[in-house]
Each structure stands twice: as structure tokens, then as C-alpha cells.
Amino acid sequence: MLHSRSSVLAPARLPLLIVLVWMGVFTALRLGLALSVGTASVPFALWPGIFAKGLMFDMAVAAIAVAPVCAYEALLPNGWRGQRWHRVLRTVWVWFALLVMLIAAASEVTFWVEFSTRFNFIAVDYLIYTQEVIGNIRQSYPIPAIMLGLASLAALLSFFLHSFLKRANEHVFSGGQRVALGLAAIVLPTCSLLLTNVDQMQGLGNAYADELSGNGLFTLAAAMRRNELDYDKFYRTMPQAQADAILKGMDVERQPLSEAIHPPLGEDPADDPLPFTRRPKNVVLISVESLSAAFMDTYGSTKHLTPRLDALAREGMMFEHMYATGTRTVRGLESLSLGTPPVPGQAIVRRPNNEHLATLGEILKPQNVESYFFYGGYGYFDNMNAYFDANGYKVIDRTDIPKADVVFENVWGVADEVLFNHAIKTLTAEAKADKPFFAHIMTTSNHRPYTYPDGRIDVKSPGGRDGAVKYTDYAIGKFIDDARSQPWFKDTLFIIIADHCASVAGKSKLPVDGYHIPLIFYAPGMVPPSVYKNTVSQLDLAPTIVEMMGKGGDDHFFGRPFFEAENENPNRAFISNYQELGYLRGDVLTVLLPKRKVMAYKVDPTTLATTPTTVDERLMNEAIAYYQTASRAFKEGALKMEKPGGQ
């Protein structure tokens, strides 16, 4: 029976009940985690601060969680409240909400056992690599039994709340009460987002205490927004002065982080001799989607998928041992534009405060070189347009290509040949002004669904990965042929490299062969046919381009030019997968992991297979110096270019 009159607090009863249940679970979870750590690590004197801060974060999450309940109550017609079907529906959704809450708490427990932190970017990473994570969970825990137990506990809680839910169905809400509930659904989450910040977790002077004071769901949302995994909190560190000294000994020309000073551009242009007949006036960099070295006959394939690229490799300079820094396009773009080791967490391309960095665009622009970024898809994806536009490049994406010129497109973008055709038109117009240019062209066709225009190759679309590789090879060959008829061709160096490999699956977390990518320099009459045998990294290409063009600024990067005469090539590369930070030097791969762990592997020079070995302290310190300094440099703004006048 419905009550025609309800008390003033009646509308808030169900939302308050939900809040109390959430707060109870959060408090119990925090208490359990604190007890698991023990008073030796977290003294009782810190507990009041932990639970006071924790109350703030828990209320912030509860405010967001209860907003849908307030909206539900505000919109529910009074005539439905007493209906049997509605009582059943309310009981079911309350049970489901309790189950989700308990699953979240259980997940936090397992995460804490592994990392001794609240959810962070590692948890976000787990959402990305679902197949591996779900498989690991299934093998590590009795999932059916746990889920049955949590579902039963949620049902038990629902049973105890049954009488309260029944009374909640017996009230008739007035118009004013509905408005109040509707406002609460808006005001509560708004206040939560405005008044709380994940940085407020810090300040108790104890890492465990700071983590315990947080709320896992809150920190997970913050990690998704910030896209970072703090290096200093999770990885092995050293005094920065020591790191600076190690990098100086490695002939890294970039200024030490402690100074954070960028030398002026143009005053000390690179003058190292090059294995070319002359310096290029223009550079066209083609970064190819997912082009593993293993696809090319030049690097050992027998499938004959890349006849045009193999020919370019024979006619130009082919690099035997080039390695990508990561496993996604944004990581490749970061490395190729910024020349920095892959900082843990998300790539800098997708992070906030990434404008006016020491990128190729920012360095070449004041030296009268126009820089372009061409992309066949929509550049808002992965924040590409915003990043390149804010770092000295002219951005051209799918939206800039006339529809009449698009002979084929799919969800990822226009066919590579369409992108290349538009690039030629743009660069030809630029060359008429007799101004040098640098163009970075990012392809898309070698990506699912592997579709491309019919009649170009002997594999009908969709042709799977092999067909897509063969089409991309065709499109690049056609681009070179078309460019050959342009007046700027003779003064242009074409660089072909992959953004990352097609797959990084392997027996180890960082399979070295999963990062081996092709690199070709092609410029007839300028670059003699040759093979470069040293191990180099993607991040070394940016300073090399600056040096080859005879411009100043190659010392703004962590990478090193390939052809420096006075410095011995370090024979090293960097590979990563968001969490594991690898440093390959010689035949040893040193890996920095969260929880300040370090592992090392011996790398077979032929197969690139890895076997565990003892950690070499010298190599470990070199790895720490690179990754720690790069992470801190971005975080502290030291990667940004100075404004004119040093302001």
C-alpha cells in the first residue's frame, strides 16, 4: 500500500542506504588492507589521517555512485512503486549493485597483494590486455567459487535490506521532493569531481599510508585520465646527479636534468661527416603501420610480400638492427618525433601538458624548415592532431583530403595511395616556395580489417595481414615513383620505418624479435647502397634527421645521431610495453619492472630468443639513468622548448 504522505527524509532513504553500504564496504576494505600491511610499516599514529582522508575519497566515489539512484527515484512514477514487478526489479538491481561493489573490493584486494597500491595505470593496462589478464586470473584463482561466494553475499545483504526496500516502495513523492532528488543527481557528482583530486592522497609521509588513504575506484578513474604510471613510485631510482653523469658518459648530448637548459638553436649546427654525397634539403619520413621486419625478404622472409621495399633497401641504406620502443602507434610517434625513451604508462602523445616539447617540428620550424604530419585517418584518435599541432607541425588528416580523391577508405582511414597522392600535392606546392620541408606520413592500411582497393595487387581484398602488407608495399612504391617526377625529388631523403611490429607475442614479456622493425634510407644519387649493422633505436632517428639536414638542435634529444664521428655507437635500444621497461645493449636485455624489480636476459644474436641471466649492475644503472631522467624531464617540464628570451 502506498502512503499518500511521506516524511521529509523519505526521498533520501534509499540513496542514504546505498551510500552507507558503499561506505561500509570501503571502510572494511581499508581496514583489512591496513592490517595486512601491519603496524611496522604503517604506525597507528598515521591511522587517523588515513581514515580521515579515506572518508573524503570514499564519499566522493559514493556521491557519484548514488547519483543514478537519485535520478531513478526522481523519475519513477508513484503508480509504479507498489507494483509487484517493480518490487522484484528493485530487488534485482540492488542485488546486482551490491555484487559489482563486492567484485570491485575483491579486485582491489588482489591488486594490493600484487603491488601494494590502489588501482593505477597498471590496472588500466590490465583492461587493455584482457586476454592475458583474464587467463592469468583464471589460472591463479578459483573464479567460479569466488563469484558464487560474492553473489551469495550480495544476496544475503539484499535479504537483510528487504524490509527497508519494501518501505521505500510505499511512499508517494511530491513534485518538490522529485526536484530535490534530480538536483542531487547533478550536484553530488559535480561536487565530487570539483572538490577531490588524486594528488590529495599524498602528504602523510608514508607511501603505504598515502595509498591506503585513497579509494581504488577513484584512483582508477584518475589513472585513465592522466595516462601515467609514476616512475619514481614504482621503479628503481638513483640520485639524479648520478644519472646525469651516466648519461654524459654515454655521450648523450642533452643537457642534464638538474640544469634543464636547452642550448640555443642554429648556433652549433651538426657538422659530422655523413656517408652521403650531400646533405638532403628535404626529408620525407614514412612510418608504416605494424610493419615487422619479419615481413620483408631483406630481413629473412620467404613470402615475397614486399618487392618494392626490398628493392629500395638494396638501392639505399638498410639498417639491420633497428628496434621499436613500444607496441602501439602512439609510442612510435612519440619516439620518432620526440626522441625520448618510452616513459612508463601511456605515451606522451596522449598526455596533458605535452605542447611545445623539443620535437622535430619545434626544432626545425625556427630554422626555416616547414614540418608536416600526414595521417589517413581521423587525427583526433589517440590525440595525434592535438599533439602534432601543438608541437610545430602542420597537421593534415582524413578531413583535409577532398572526397573526390578518395578511391577507397575503411574505418581506419583512406587507402595509403590516397594519402600519398595528397602528400605529393601538398609537398609540391610547398617546394615551389623554395623552402625546405620535413614530412612525417603515417600509414593505416596495414591494420584490421585489412581492406584496400581491388586490382592493385594479386591478393583480393580483404587479404588478411599478408595482403595488407603487400598493398602497403605497392602504395609506397607508387609514391616513390610519383615523387620521382617532381622537381624536389632529387633533394629529398626518403626514410621508411615501422611504428611498431605486428605482434609482440612470445615466451617472454619483452620478446626482442617483437620489436625488430625495418629502416631504409632512400635517395638515389645521394645515399649510396649500403648496410648499417649497429643496433639502434627508434628514438635515435629524430636527432639523426636534424644532423643530416645540417641544422642545430640534435643535442635536444635523448637519442643520438647514427653518424657521429667522435662518439662510439653505444649499440643499444629501448623496448617497452607500458609496464616493463627494457634496455637492450649488446646481447643483454635489462628490464625494469614495477615494485622496483630488475631482471636480465641473454639475447641470442641470431634468433633474438631470451634466456634469464644475472643482472649486470652497470647495465642496470644505465637503464635507470635513461628511464628515470626521461620520466622526470617530462613531468617537470624540462622537455619543453624555451620561449624566446628564455621566458
Side-chain angles (χ1 to χ4, degrees):
M1 176 181 296
L2 293 176
H3 290 258
S4 60
R5 298 176 64 185
S6 58
S7 67
V8 175
L9 293 177
R13 284 179 178 173
L14 184 58
L16 284 174
L17 173 66
I18 299 298
V19 168
L20 289 174
V21 173
W22 277 81
M23 297 296 288
V25 171
F26 288 150
T27 301
L29 174 61
R30 182 172 290 103
L31 178 61
L33 297 179
L35 291 174
S36 71
V37 174
T39 56
S41 298
V42 184
F44 273 125
L46 296 177
W47 284 41
I50 291 173
F51 282 88
K53 279 191 176 184
L55 180 65
M56 176 185 67
F57 284 108
D58 293 349
M59 289 181 66
V61 174
I64 295 174
V66 80
V69 180
C70 292
Y72 173 85
E73 290 293 285
L75 298 174
L76 183 68
N78 285 323
W80 290 7
R81 294 183 182 277
Q83 299 294 322
R84 178 178 178 83
W85 65 266
H86 176 257
R87 293 198 299 270
V88 173
L89 177 63
R90 191 196 287 269
T91 301
V92 170
W93 73 252
V94 168
W95 168 82
F96 182 75
L98 293 172
L99 176 60
V100 171
M101 183 191 313
L102 293 173
I103 290 174
S107 300
E108 270 219 78
V109 171
T110 59
F111 194 83
W112 182 274
V113 169
E114 180 69 17
F115 297 103
S116 297
T117 69
R118 296 289 191 170
F119 288 144
N120 51 36
F121 194 82
I122 297 178
V124 178
D125 193 25
Y126 282 0
L127 297 177
I128 297 173
Y129 297 102
T130 53
Q131 181 177 346
E132 294 84 350
V133 172
I134 292 174
N136 177 64
I137 291 174
R138 285 176 174 173
Q139 294 178 5
S140 303
Y141 302 98
I143 296 301
I146 291 175
M147 291 301 297
L148 179 61
L150 294 177
S152 300
L153 180 56
L156 183 62
L157 290 173
S158 298
F159 175 78
F160 285 120
L161 297 175
H162 176 71
S163 59
F164 188 95
L165 294 176
K166 183 179 179 181
R167 289 196 300 272
N169 284 325
E170 295 176 350
H171 295 291
V172 175
F173 291 174
S174 67
Q177 291 171 329
R178 290 179 183 278
V179 170
L181 285 168
L183 289 175
I186 298 173
V187 172
L188 288 175
T190 301
C191 291
S192 171
L193 296 173
L194 291 177
L195 299 178
T196 50
N197 186 292
V198 70
D199 295 329
Q200 294 168 337
M201 288 172 54
Q202 310 303 316
L204 293 176
N206 180 294
Y208 282 117
D210 289 339
E211 291 295 327
L212 287 169
S213 68
N215 180 288
L217 297 179
F218 192 95
T219 56
L220 179 64
M224 288 179 173
R225 292 195 304 270
R226 295 191 173 193
N227 295 323
E228 67 176 320
L229 183 63
D230 188 85
Y231 180 90
D232 287 285
K233 183 179 291 186
F234 292 100
Y235 295 88
R236 192 77 65 90
T237 60
M238 62 172 55
Q240 189 57 50
Q242 180 184 355
D244 290 342
I246 290 174
L247 294 182
K248 184 177 181 180
M250 296 286 292
D251 295 317
V252 177
E253 295 181 353
R254 191 187 181 284
Q255 292 291 321
L257 179 64
S258 55
E259 296 181 22
I261 298 174
H262 294 294
L265 294 173
E267 293 187 4
D268 184 23
D271 56 3
D272 291 303
L274 300 177
F276 307 159
T277 59
R278 65 183 188 279
R279 294 187 183 277
K281 177 181 179 181
N282 314 304
V283 172
V284 174
L285 169 63
I286 305 171
S287 55
V288 186
E289 172 69 41
S290 305
L291 186 67
S292 305
F295 287 130
M296 293 181 58
D297 290 7
T298 301
Y299 294 91
S301 175
T302 58
K303 290 186 175 183
H304 312 304
L305 299 176
T306 57
R308 297 302 308 269
L309 288 175
D310 290 323
L312 295 176
R314 290 191 300 270
E315 297 165 10
M317 178 178 287
M318 187 274 282
F319 291 72
E320 280 192 350
H321 305 290
M322 163 61 71
Y323 293 91
T325 58
T327 60
R328 290 199 60 214
T329 296
V330 282
R331 189 61 83 182
L333 296 178
E334 167 194 84
S335 179
L336 293 172
S337 63
L338 190 56
T340 186
V343 295
Q346 188 55 270
I348 289 173
V349 174
R350 292 188 57 184
R351 295 195 185 189
N353 302 317
N354 63 2
E355 67 281 351
H356 301 300
L357 304 177
T359 62
L360 278 171
E362 288 282 340
I363 287 173
L364 294 175
K365 187 174 183 178
Q367 300 182 79
N368 200 39
V369 177
E370 195 68 71
S371 296
Y372 289 87
F373 175 69
F374 293 90
Y375 179 59
Y378 296 118
Y380 64 79
F381 181 77
D382 271 341
N383 200 49
M384 287 186 281
N385 278 4
Y387 169 79
F388 282 100
D389 182 66
N391 283 284
Y393 293 76
K394 285 186 177 180
V395 177
I396 296 176
D397 74 351
R398 186 177 190 168
T399 62
D400 298 300
I401 302 175
K403 288 292 184 182
D405 295 344
V406 180
V407 298
F408 185 90
E409 60 186 330
N410 61 26
V411 66
W412 284 107
V414 300
D416 287 349
E417 64 186 84
V418 177
L419 177 64
F420 287 136
N421 288 341
H422 191 72
I424 284 183
K425 292 179 181 179
T426 304
L427 298 179
T428 299
E430 182 69 40
K432 289 180 179 179
D434 197 32
K435 186 176 181 180
F437 59 77
F438 165 69
H440 184 161
I441 306 175
M442 179 69 225
T443 74
T444 60
S445 291
N446 187 24
H447 196 294
R448 290 187 186 275
Y450 306 128
T451 55
Y452 40 83
D454 288 327
R456 271 52 170 183
I457 59 173
D458 57 2
V459 181
K460 187 174 177 58
S461 173
R465 176 69 75 177
D466 286 357
V469 169
K470 199 165 190 178
Y471 169 73
T472 292
D473 174 78
Y474 157 83
I476 293 174
K478 181 179 181 300
F479 172 63
I480 297 295
D481 291 342
D482 293 343
R484 203 182 304 273
S485 63
Q486 302 300 324
W488 48 267
F489 178 82
K490 66 181 185 303
D491 299 317
T492 301
L493 170 64
F494 294 85
I495 300 175
I496 303 165
I497 191 172
D499 59 345
H500 57 83
C501 281
S503 172
V504 289
K507 294 182 179 179
S508 62
K509 291 182 177 180
L510 291 179
V512 177
D513 61 338
Y515 294 83
H516 187 207
I517 58 175
L519 173 61
I520 302 167
F521 283 5
Y522 178 76
M526 185 188 307
V527 179
S530 58
V531 176
Y532 189 93
K533 294 183 176 293
N534 290 327
T535 296
V536 287
S537 173
Q538 238 179 357
L539 62 86
D540 296 318
L541 189 54
T544 301
I545 289 172
V546 173
E547 180 189 62
M548 289 188 300
M549 296 185 79
K551 305 299 181 181
D554 66 315
D555 48 2
H556 281 57
F557 303 96
F558 282 92
R560 285 177 44 188
F562 298 153
F563 309 118
E564 285 185 327
E566 73 277 11
N567 296 326
E568 180 185 357
N569 189 287
N571 200 36
R572 58 93 186 94
F574 304 84
I575 61 178
S576 73
N577 66 358
Y578 292 102
Q579 296 182 42
E580 287 80 21
L581 308 176
Y583 177 69
L584 175 64
R585 184 166 190 193
D587 61 353
V588 176
L589 174 66
T590 304
V591 183
L592 309 180
L593 302 102
K595 301 174 69 172
R596 294 179 170 80
K597 293 182 179 179
V598 181
M599 301 181 70
Y601 301 87
K602 196 78 169 179
V603 181
D604 185 283
T606 303
T607 66
L608 300 182
T610 57
T611 54
T613 189
T614 304
V615 174
D616 183 302
E617 184 175 359
R618 177 180 65 87
L619 297 180
M620 178 190 71
N621 287 338
E622 289 178 6
I624 293 171
Y626 269 110
Y627 282 110
Q628 170 183 299
T629 306
S631 298
R632 290 180 178 178
F634 175 72
K635 189 174 183 178
E636 297 175 13
L639 291 183
K640 290 183 179 290
M641 295 291 291
E642 283 192 326
K643 296 180 180 179
Q647 297 178 358

